[in-house]
Amino acid sequence: MTTAAALSAVLVVGLITYSSRAGLILFLAERPLPSALVRALRYVGPAVLSALTVNLLAGGEGPSGVEVVEIAAVSAGIIAAVLTRNLIASLTAGMVTLWLLLLLL
Amino acid sequence: MTNSGMPRPDTYPDRTMSDSADASSPTETQNNVIMRRAVRDSIPLFIPAVPFALVLGVAITESAMPTAIAWSTNVFIFAGAAQLATVSLAATATWLTLVATAAAINLRHVMYSAALAPRFEDQPRWFRWVGPFVLIDQTFALVSARTELSADTWRRYYLTAGVFFFVLWNIAVIAGMLVGSSIPSEWRLGVAPAVMFAGLVVLGLTNWPGVVAAVTGAAVCFMALSVPNNGGILIGAVAGVTAGYIADVVLDGRNLSTRGFPQ
């Protein structure tokens, strides 16, 4: 990615982020969002983030880019997150699993 | 800063102020009291964000973007998950996929904006423009619970918490950048963002339609991995939102448990 592309990407994401934070406060005060939109917005987070997780594991190399140790690390992180509801515990479990497997394999 | 899961204002305990800080003309002492209160409330919410900031710092040093530009996401974007997506995707995604993914991650702020809009009605113009800059998950959780404060006091509380998070976030990310440049690549810290996002998904799940959205998003993205330009992210995201929405309508938002998003 060129410097110009990177900088423009950061600025555009920043502008969209600010707009989503400020838009209704500045222009639409008191007007409630349609309930269907609120319903759909609720699932943007889980859908985008889980797709992003899979994509980052593949690293732009298609399905073959997903390594077994990476799947193990993410799975350990997910299990820890379910059990503890704690992000630090989740991250620790995932990375420790990764390091142990890299040492053993 | 961290993502997903829509904390509803009514799920936060409505602690009342023990100090008389919301008098109509606050004195300097009362201002100090409310600012101290804002910092005290912010600390427990900041601690869980520290590992996130460290992972982001490492990702910034490893980003395909020039380091200074990757770092500037702290100022221009100031939203951890979107920042992490931006700096991590630079290696593989096209400009459009990167921007669309990061923007989609930050769409949840529209809900925060809608929820807080009434509170901004009696605020001065400058604050209506400046306030949203620091409207992150944590600030929203704090200020939406503070319904008992007067307009002036609420503004002071809001800005104090916002500045607190901004400053500490930047310090923690810089610490992560220092860590990242000193740890050898055999440690595979590049896997940390994926682990982080997976954990965030789990913590953000509060109902079954959310689970449906997450599983569908991951599965469809996996099947679409060979789509050029990382288009699989957006295809997975659209499929996930659609599936979650349909499940919500069918199940009418049945809750997983009483535990909500912890941050």
Side-chain angles (χ1 to χ4, degrees):
Chain A
M1 185 165 266
T2 66
T3 302
L7 185 60
S8 62
V10 168
L11 291 177
V12 170
V13 172
L15 193 65
I16 295 172
T17 304
Y18 178 74
S19 306
S20 69
R21 284 170 173 163
L24 296 171
I25 286 170
L26 288 172
F27 302 112
L28 280 173
E30 286 285 357
R31 211 181 304 170
L33 290 178
S35 65
L37 181 63
V38 172
R39 245 181 175 168
L41 280 175
R42 213 178 290 160
Y43 302 109
V44 170
V48 177
L49 293 178
S50 62
L52 185 62
T53 304
V54 171
N55 183 278
L56 288 177
L57 286 181
E61 296 165 32
S64 61
V66 186
E67 293 173 59
V68 177
V69 287
E70 291 175 338
I71 295 175
V74 168
S75 305
I78 289 174
I79 293 168
V82 170
L83 294 178
T84 64
R85 311 289 299 177
N86 182 323
L87 199 60
I88 299 174
S90 168
L91 181 68
T92 309
M95 294 312 286
V96 168
T97 303
L98 176 77
W99 292 329
L100 284 178
L101 288 175
L102 287 174
L103 276 178
L104 295 173
L105 297 178
Chain B
M1 285 173 270
T2 51
N3 193 286
S4 81
M6 173 58 193
R8 288 185 306 278
D10 56 353
T11 59
Y12 292 91
D14 193 3
R15 288 165 291 173
T16 46
M17 301 287 297
S18 51
D19 323 276
S20 57
D22 50 347
S24 50
S25 56
T27 64
E28 204 173 311
T29 322
Q30 285 166 330
N31 286 343
N32 288 339
V33 167
I34 195 68
M35 288 166 78
R36 265 203 304 275
R37 176 59 65 98
V39 169
R40 209 191 307 158
D41 289 350
S42 301
I43 292 168
L45 290 185
F46 182 73
I47 291 168
V50 171
F52 200 108
L54 296 178
V55 170
L56 175 63
V58 174
I60 286 173
T61 59
E62 296 188 349
S63 176
M65 289 183 168
T67 308
I69 293 177
W71 173 83
S72 76
T73 57
N74 281 311
V75 178
F76 294 121
I77 303 176
F78 187 43
Q83 287 181 248
L84 191 53
T86 302
V87 301
S88 310
L89 283 176
T92 55
T94 59
W95 191 93
L96 202 61
T97 309
L98 186 159
V99 168
T101 303
I105 289 173
N106 274 344
L107 264 187
R108 71 188 183 286
H109 293 113
V110 173
M111 295 185 283
Y112 300 166
S113 189
L116 291 182
R119 280 254 56 177
F120 273 87
E121 288 218 307
D122 50 1
Q123 293 293 344
R125 189 153 197 85
W126 66 266
F127 182 58
R128 294 169 68 172
W129 284 91
V130 171
F133 263 116
V134 288
L135 182 52
I136 58 174
D137 300 300
Q138 286 86 342
T139 350
F140 176 75
L142 287 176
V143 303
S144 59
R146 291 295 186 182
T147 48
E148 79 283 6
L149 301 179
S150 71
D152 283 351
T153 316
W154 187 75
R155 184 173 66 247
R156 195 168 295 275
Y157 183 87
Y158 183 119
L159 283 175
T160 307
V163 170
F164 173 89
F165 283 120
F166 187 84
V167 171
L168 265 76
W169 176 251
N170 274 280
I171 292 173
V173 171
I174 289 169
M177 291 171 70
L178 296 175
V179 170
S181 50
S182 59
I183 288 181
S185 59
E186 296 88 71
W187 284 55
R188 300 281 302 271
L189 287 183
V191 180
V195 177
M196 202 80 185
F197 280 120
L200 278 177
V201 171
V202 173
L203 295 186
L205 294 175
T206 52
N207 60 9
W208 286 110
V211 178
V212 172
V215 172
T216 309
V220 172
C221 178
F222 184 78
M223 288 184 281
L225 274 180
S226 45
V227 172
N229 305 330
N230 285 13
I233 302 176
L234 297 178
I235 297 172
V238 170
V241 173
T242 310
Y245 181 82
I246 293 170
D248 189 312
V249 172
V250 173
L251 295 172
D252 208 23
R254 214 164 291 168
N255 286 336
L256 272 184
S257 72
T258 51
R259 291 177 301 185
F261 190 57
Q263 300 180 37

